Amino acid sequence: MSESAKTPADFWFDPICPWAWMTSRWMLEVEKVRPVEVRWHVMSLAVLNEDKLDQLPEQYAENMRPGGKSWGPVRVVIAAQQLYGDEVVGRLYTALGTRFHNQGLGVNPESIAAALEDAGLPADLIEYADKDIYDAELRASHKAGIDLVGQEVGTPVIAVPGSDGDQIAFFGPVVTPAPKGDEAAKLWDGTLMVASIPGFYEIKRTRTAGPNFE
């Protein structure tokens, strides 16, 4: 099937978010069972929360502040995208997320450096973790997703075609563990279904389980 015949799904993520990671693994499974093309984009929890740091738990807020550990990974991804193209984004995200989440190695320079090697990207990209050279592009990518879905969300954001062809964006779906096979297909079909209903906004329940990376 040609790429043009596939349904596009735009996916915004922050590499440090475990819930975005779960949803992203589901989307990779969807690509196996439905004619879907995932297009990866960065967003930033630090940018999302920069005006409300005083309302967040202290440790979480510390990570979001300038110089906090939430900035490095997303800066490295946006630098890789700017220098080497959109096609490297998903590959680098997988390498980062595998180390951060599945392997539990933490958000640190060692994990980022190893992920760059895993993704076949130059080691010197890690230098961008502490640089704001591409912060304007990061903010633009973040804004593109947020403008579709609204401010009162987190990551991930997913945008799919609605009934009139326009993109309809949602926060989520938030799911654990990542569905596979037929379950992945059913959840995708349901996502397209609710996106086709004008005026549909939200279904939600309290999370009673943490991310399951198995």
Side-chain angles (χ1 to χ4, degrees):
M1 178 176 292
S2 68
E3 292 296 319
S4 61
K6 293 183 178 182
T7 300
D10 288 284
F11 191 102
W12 281 264
F13 65 92
D14 186 315
I16 71 169
C17 177
W19 292 106
W21 176 248
M22 300 300 299
T23 308
S24 73
R25 300 311 91 182
W26 161 65
M27 283 306 311
L28 289 183
E29 195 70 16
V30 170
E31 285 190 316
K32 300 175 185 178
V33 295
R34 289 291 186 268
V36 171
E37 177 192 7
V38 182
R39 301 184 297 204
W40 304 99
H41 312 274
V42 291
M43 63 182 295
S44 168
L45 288 170
V47 173
L48 185 71
N49 290 298
E50 62 186 349
D51 295 329
K52 47 189 175 185
L53 292 176
D54 59 346
Q55 303 170 30
L56 302 174
E58 180 54 33
Q59 184 57 57
Y60 189 80
E62 190 64 26
N63 292 337
M64 302 294 141
R65 292 191 175 98
K69 69 179 183 179
S70 67
W71 282 96
V74 75
R75 279 175 165 167
V76 170
V77 176
I78 197 71
Q81 180 188 42
Q82 294 300 307
L83 295 171
Y84 299 101
D86 293 342
E87 63 272 14
V88 307
V89 176
R91 188 165 80 240
L92 180 53
Y93 180 31
T94 288
L96 288 167
T98 298
R99 290 181 173 274
F100 292 169
H101 306 302
N102 291 74
Q103 297 176 5
L105 298 177
V107 180
N108 52 59
E110 293 77 17
S111 292
I112 297 172
L116 287 168
E117 182 178 0
D118 291 346
L121 289 165
D124 60 5
L125 277 170
I126 197 171
E127 297 173 8
Y128 290 92
D130 298 317
K131 296 179 179 179
D132 62 2
I133 293 173
Y134 293 114
D135 278 10
E137 289 80 1
L138 168 59
R139 289 177 179 275
S141 179
H142 176 91
K143 184 176 185 297
I146 290 297
D147 282 353
L148 286 172
V149 74
Q151 289 290 332
E152 300 305 317
V153 299
T155 176
V157 168
I158 183 172
V160 301
S163 58
D164 58 2
D166 290 342
Q167 280 190 310
I168 301 296
F170 300 109
F171 163 59
V174 176
V175 61
T176 186
K180 292 179 169 51
D182 288 343
E183 287 191 346
K186 286 192 292 185
L187 182 56
W188 171 252
D189 294 344
T191 301
L192 292 183
M193 186 273 290
V194 297
S196 74
I197 306 300
F200 174 83
Y201 291 100
E202 183 176 11
I203 295 176
K204 189 172 182 179
R205 63 174 177 162
T206 300
R207 291 195 298 262
T208 57
N212 180 348
F213 304 121
E214 293 179 3

